[in-house]
Amino acid sequence: MKICVFLGPTMPVDDARAILPDAVYLPPAAQADIISAMTIHRPDVIALIDGVFGQSLSVWHKEILFALHKGVAVYGSSSMGALRAAECHPFGMVPVGEVARGYVDGRLTGDDEVALAHAGPDDGWFPLSEPLVNLRASMAAALAAGVVDQPLHDRVIAAAKSLYFTERTRDRIFAEARLTAEETERLERFLETGAVDQKRRDAEALLGHLASLITPPRLAPFDFNASHYFDVLYERDRRVCHGGNSVPLSEIATHAALHRADFAEINNAALGRLLIRQFAEVMGVTVDEAAVRAETQRFCAMRRLVGAEALADWCRRNDLTDAEFSELMTELAIERAMRLWLIPRRFLARTTKPVLNELRLRGLYESTAVAAALVERVMELHFGDASRQPKETVEQLLADHLANTACRMDAPADAWAYEYGFKDLLDLRIDLMRAKQVRDLFRQLAAEVEAALIPQPAPKDPVPEEEMQT
C-alpha cells in the first residue's frame, strides 16, 4: 500500500517518518499537486496535512474528488487537510483530529484558524506565527489549569482573532490583549510546558492511523463531473516525472513547439484528429469494443509491444492510465472508421491524390517519385509483363518485402491493402512482385559488381614434367 503525505510546517518530516516510515513525503500541497501525485506516485492513500495559499493557488476540491472517484483514499487533518476534509467528507474524504472535527461540526469556520506564516523548504518550513487553533487549545488548557480566568482567556483569543494571521506571534497577541506584566509572565510560564500544538497532535493521530492500516478503506462510488477548468488542470497543469525531474504537461508541449523541426506536422495531425472526432459526433459515427481491441492490436504491432507487460510499460513511460490509453485507442478507432467511410466514396480515385499532396507538403514527393520512376524503368527494360503473373503467394511476398524494406504492416493484408490505396489483394500481390523482382535484380547486379572488383588469384605456373617424375 503506497501512501503520499503532504506535510510542511505542522511537524518535521523526520518526526513523521518515525511514525509512518514507508510513506512518500511531499511538500505542502498547491493546486494540481494531488493529481500530479496520482500520476507520479500512483498512491493508494493520500494524507493531506499542509497546503499553500496566498502566494500559490490552493489545492482544489475538484482534484480531491477526482482522487476519491478513482478509488484513492484521501485523509485530511491539522491544517489545509482539515479544511478540505470538512468540505469533501460527504464524498468520502476522511477528517482526522480535533481541528477537522471542529470544522465539520461548525465550531470552526474561518480559514485563518489554521493559517500561519512559515519559512521555506530550506529551513524546514519552520513556523513563524501562531496558528489560532493552537492558541485556542493552549488557552483552554490554561483556563482548565486555573492559570487564567474566563475574561483573560477571551481577551487573548479576541486579540489574536483581530490580527492578520502573519502577525499572530505571542508577543504581538499579548500586547494586543493589553496583558499586564504579571499576566504575561504567568501565562508565558505556563505555555513553556503546557502549550498545546493541536495541529501536530492531529497530524500524529493521522499518521498513526495510517501506520495501522492493512488495506485502504473502500469508497462509496459517486458521479464525478469534470468541468472545463478541471480538464485544463488535468491536461496542462498536472506534473509528471522524467529523468528524475518533474514538469507540467503544458511545458512538454511547449518544448516540442520550440525545439522540434517536425512540430508543424505534429500539431496539424493532432488538431486534425480532434476535427475528425468532432465530425464523427455530428455524423453519429461510433465504434464498438471490438473495433477498439483491433485498434489496440494494430497499435502494439506497429510499436512491437508484445504482451500486456510491454504495453503497461509503454503507458507508464508515456504518462497514460489504462482508462486514458483506452480513450486514445477509441479516438484512433473513430478516426479509422471515418477513413473507411471516406475511401469507398472516392471509388476508383482511391487515396492517390491526397497521399501525393501529403508527400509534397512533407518534402518527400521528389525523392519518392525518383525511386518509383526507377522501378518503373527497370521493369520495362528487364521484365516486361512477367510481373503480371506472380508465382509466390501474397503471404510469401509480404514476408519477403517486410524483411527487406522499411515498410510496416499493422493489420491483415486485405484490410491493410484497402486502407492504403490498393484496389484489392491481387493488386497488392502484383505490386509486391514488381518490388521483389527489382530488389532481386539490384541484389544480383551488386553481387556481380562486387565479384568483378575483387582481385582474382594469379594462376600457378604448370609444373615441368621431369619434376613431376622425380
Side-chain angles (χ1 to χ4, degrees):
M1 184 171 61
K2 180 174 281 190
I3 301 174
C4 287
V5 180
F6 290 95
L7 182 63
T10 293
M11 66 184 296
V13 170
D14 288 343
D15 293 355
R17 282 201 176 97
I19 303 172
L20 186 64
D22 296 328
V24 176
Y25 286 93
L26 302 170
Q31 191 171 104
D33 281 351
I34 284 183
I35 56 174
S36 298
M38 290 175 63
T39 299
I40 295 171
H41 301 289
R42 301 179 183 269
D44 303 292
V45 175
I46 291 174
L48 178 60
I49 297 174
D50 288 311
V52 300
F53 64 98
Q55 73 275 24
S56 301
L57 294 174
S58 301
V59 61
W60 192 17
H61 311 75
K62 202 79 169 180
E63 52 186 309
I64 295 173
L65 298 182
F66 178 75
L68 293 168
H69 176 68
K70 292 298 182 181
V72 178
V74 184
Y75 292 78
S77 75
S78 304
S79 191
M80 181 65 73
L83 286 168
R84 292 295 181 260
E87 295 156 341
C88 298
H89 81 278
F91 296 91
M93 187 175 180
V94 182
V96 176
E98 182 62 27
V99 178
R101 283 192 291 272
Y103 279 116
V104 171
D105 297 342
R107 290 180 285 110
L108 298 175
T109 56
D111 292 1
D112 70 310
E113 292 280 347
V114 294
L116 78 161
H118 56 80
D122 293 339
D123 296 309
W125 311 103
F126 186 78
L128 300 175
S129 65
E130 183 92 2
L132 190 51
V133 289
N134 284 358
L135 184 66
R136 288 185 187 278
S138 297
M139 291 303 297
L143 181 63
V147 176
V148 299
D149 57 15
Q150 190 68 49
L152 179 56
H153 168 278
D154 295 346
R155 276 167 50 206
V156 171
I157 297 300
K161 187 69 176 174
S162 70
L163 294 171
Y164 188 57
F165 75 91
T166 60
E167 300 174 347
R168 289 174 185 160
T169 62
R170 286 185 185 174
D171 290 345
R172 183 67 189 277
I173 293 170
F174 293 169
E176 189 73 17
R178 302 183 183 278
L179 269 61
T180 66
E182 186 276 331
E183 289 171 335
T184 299
E185 181 182 359
R186 177 161 33 100
L187 191 52
E188 285 182 339
R189 192 182 315 116
F190 171 79
L191 293 176
E192 286 179 0
T193 57
V196 178
D197 190 342
Q198 191 62 55
K199 290 176 70 172
R200 175 165 179 147
R201 286 185 178 183
D202 289 0
E204 290 175 345
L206 172 56
L207 297 173
H209 174 73
L210 296 180
S212 69
L213 280 182
I214 298 175
T215 58
R218 291 187 176 183
L219 302 176
F222 63 90
D223 292 332
F224 175 78
N225 297 315
S227 64
H228 172 73
Y229 296 105
F230 178 79
D231 290 341
V232 171
L233 190 76
Y234 191 83
E235 296 174 8
R236 290 184 52 83
D237 300 335
R238 179 167 53 104
R239 301 180 75 89
V240 295
C241 188
H242 288 273
N245 301 304
S246 70
V247 59
L249 290 172
S250 59
E251 289 301 317
I252 301 176
T254 298
H255 186 87
L258 294 177
H259 296 279
R260 290 201 61 91
D262 59 348
F263 185 75
E265 289 85 354
I266 292 172
N267 195 57
N268 291 340
L271 293 177
R273 186 171 296 116
L274 286 179
L275 285 172
I276 289 174
R277 185 158 190 176
Q278 293 292 318
F279 190 34
E281 290 181 5
V282 172
M283 295 176 58
V285 174
T286 59
V287 293
D288 57 17
E289 292 184 7
V292 176
R293 284 196 301 270
E295 197 64 45
T296 303
Q297 292 171 354
R298 298 183 71 157
F299 177 89
C300 292
M302 288 297 288
R303 289 156 185 80
R304 295 185 174 89
L305 300 175
V306 181
E309 186 174 340
L311 178 57
D313 180 67
W314 185 91
C315 288
R316 179 188 58 78
R317 290 184 286 109
N318 285 272
D319 301 313
L320 288 176
T321 64
D322 291 344
E324 290 164 350
F325 176 76
S326 178
E327 182 182 358
L328 176 59
M329 292 301 102
T330 300
E331 188 173 289
L332 293 179
I334 290 173
E335 184 180 19
R336 192 177 301 280
M338 291 295 289
R339 290 198 298 269
L340 293 175
W341 169 85
L342 176 65
I343 290 172
R345 282 159 178 78
R346 294 185 58 80
F347 193 45
L348 295 178
R350 290 178 286 171
T351 60
T352 299
K353 181 178 179 179
V355 166
L356 296 184
N357 279 338
E358 190 65 24
L359 289 171
R360 293 178 180 111
L361 292 173
R362 292 174 180 258
L364 300 172
Y365 179 84
E366 291 180 76
S367 59
T368 306
V370 168
L374 178 60
V375 169
E376 188 73 13
R377 181 59 174 161
V378 169
M379 290 301 303
E380 292 174 358
L381 292 176
H382 292 273
F383 299 104
D385 293 333
S387 63
R388 300 302 174 184
Q389 300 173 356
K391 298 178 181 180
E392 294 93 336
T393 64
V394 69
E395 290 77 16
Q396 292 170 327
L397 291 169
L398 273 174
D400 184 81
H401 190 79
L402 295 175
N404 291 283
T405 70
C407 178
R408 292 291 176 266
M409 294 181 61
D410 59 356
D414 54 348
W416 188 89
Y418 180 76
E419 290 184 33
Y420 287 86
F422 298 90
K423 184 176 64 175
D424 50 31
L425 272 181
L426 177 59
D427 194 24
L428 173 62
R429 186 182 178 195
I430 290 171
D431 284 325
L432 286 170
M433 173 58 74
R434 285 164 55 88
K436 182 177 186 302
Q437 287 176 318
V438 174
R439 190 167 58 248
D440 290 346
L441 175 63
F442 285 170
R443 189 182 292 120
Q444 177 187 340
L445 293 175
E448 292 174 359
V449 170
E450 183 179 6
L453 294 176
I454 296 176
Q456 300 296 319
K460 294 182 179 181
D461 295 332
V463 180
E465 188 173 329
E466 58 273 15
E467 291 184 14
M468 294 178 62
Q469 293 175 352
T470 58

